[in-house]
Amino acid sequence: MSASTESTGSAGRADLAGSTGSTGSTGSTGSTGSTGSTGSAGSVAGTAVIPPLAKRTRTLSAELAAHLERLITTGQLAPGERLPSERDLAASMNVSRASLRQAMFELESKNLIERKRGSGSTVAAPAAGVSALNVGLSATDVELTNATELRDLVEPRIASFAAQRAAASNLLQLEDVLAQSNENLNAEESLRLDREFHLLLAHAAQNPLFVTLSTMTSDWTNATRSLSHATRTGRRISIDGHREIYEAIARRDAEAAASAMERHLRDVRDVIGGLSRTGSEEEVAG
């Protein structure tokens, strides 16, 4: 599910339940696949509460799908959680049922929700095979060098497939993360948004196994990657890399997206290597 927000590419769906601008953020913390999680959108009488939608100049159904999908992928809406009825949800978000229904069809096609006549819609649980892989990899003790090599192999392919498969709703989510990102953020928030960008990118590739692999490699390399967000220069380089990746994906240029990801990973390694050699860091913002 996913999100939408204030301006057309700004402050991301930052409302997105307190904004997914804090996915460890929005809501609280829990899973964002790995962005650190983000609590839950809340519930009343057993039914999820969906935060309001800020509209932009996109197809409304894409806005809705982005808004709801991001709530799901970042863990604000948990597997098994029941969504409000279409009538209630459309009324609370001030949209037509036709637009909402189209968005729900997209989420169902992505296996993010399950819809049953008479019982409404619920957030879908990951497929059994994906869950088993996730559990198995989570329990694995992995050397940083091996994890880095796996990430170097997987992430460019994810970017390539995202360029070929991303829906408008996926592009909206990536835009929102970029809109929230800037070099003046503190290191923790900058890293959270970094992780969310890569998580949403994996979802845009429309393959749940990519999501699992991206999440695991992100977890395994988290401590080292945090160093690249300790300085303004590092944060700026990371954001510039994300923007280049996004632009290639938006152009549907798979080769350019993969190349941009390779440069991004290399640039981040160079930042970390430079800090390791000098043993010094710039003053962390805020």
Side-chain angles (χ1 to χ4, degrees):
M1 296 197 169
S2 9
S4 187
T5 44
E6 308 177 349
S7 91
T8 227
S10 88
R13 236 155 281 81
D15 295 2
L16 230 202
S19 153
T20 145
S22 202
T23 55
S25 145
T26 63
S28 186
T29 22
S31 91
T32 149
S34 179
T35 4
S37 164
T38 95
S40 165
S43 63
V44 174
T47 299
V49 175
I50 305 298
L53 172 73
K55 300 175 185 176
R56 294 180 292 183
T57 55
R58 295 290 185 118
T59 303
L60 182 55
S61 62
E63 293 274 355
L64 288 165
H67 185 60
L68 294 168
E69 182 175 349
R70 194 169 177 193
L71 289 172
I72 291 175
T73 58
T74 57
Q76 296 170 65
L77 291 175
E81 192 162 5
R82 184 164 61 89
L83 304 183
S85 67
E86 285 188 3
R87 175 179 297 177
D88 291 344
L89 186 53
S92 69
M93 303 183 81
N94 195 29
V95 298
S96 70
R97 292 182 68 181
S99 294
L100 177 62
R101 192 172 296 119
Q102 188 173 349
M104 298 295 272
F105 279 135
E106 177 178 336
L107 298 177
E108 185 178 26
S109 72
K110 292 179 176 179
N111 298 313
L112 294 172
I113 63 171
E114 295 177 348
R115 307 172 74 201
K116 295 181 181 178
R117 185 180 297 277
S119 59
S121 301
T122 58
V123 178
V130 173
S131 295
L133 177 61
N134 202 346
V135 171
L137 289 176
S138 298
T140 303
D141 184 15
V142 175
E143 291 185 10
L144 178 60
T145 300
N146 293 336
T148 300
E149 288 181 354
L150 178 61
R151 188 166 187 248
D152 288 346
L153 178 67
V154 171
E155 291 285 352
R157 294 297 293 160
I158 287 175
S160 175
F161 279 115
Q164 300 170 62
R165 300 172 178 175
S169 57
N170 296 117
L171 296 178
L172 279 169
Q173 294 171 72
L174 294 170
E175 287 174 14
D176 285 344
V177 172
L178 287 173
Q180 294 171 47
S181 304
N182 70 77
E183 65 188 72
N184 294 317
L185 294 174
N186 62 44
E188 182 180 3
E189 178 66 2
S190 183
L191 176 60
R192 184 194 66 73
L193 288 169
D194 177 9
R195 289 173 60 99
E196 186 177 359
F197 180 86
H198 287 273
L199 172 67
L200 295 177
L201 194 64
H203 279 279
Q206 314 297 346
N207 183 329
L209 296 179
F210 282 152
V211 175
T212 297
L213 289 174
S214 178
T215 298
M216 290 300 96
T217 57
S218 187
D219 287 346
W220 291 329
T221 59
N222 189 66
T224 301
R225 286 169 64 191
S226 66
L227 294 176
S228 68
H229 291 270
T231 67
R232 287 186 176 85
T233 298
R235 293 190 285 272
R236 183 173 62 252
I237 288 172
S238 177
I239 294 166
D240 288 347
H242 288 175
R243 188 168 290 111
E244 185 179 356
I245 293 164
Y246 166 78
E247 290 171 353
I249 290 171
R251 295 195 309 269
R252 303 296 181 183
D253 190 333
E255 184 176 352
S259 295
M261 178 63 79
E262 290 171 352
R263 282 192 299 276
H264 170 59
L265 296 176
R266 186 167 56 247
D267 289 344
V268 169
R269 278 199 303 274
D270 289 345
V271 169
I272 294 170
L275 289 173
S276 299
R277 286 191 298 273
T278 63
S280 63
E281 299 178 1
E282 300 173 15
E283 181 181 354
V284 176

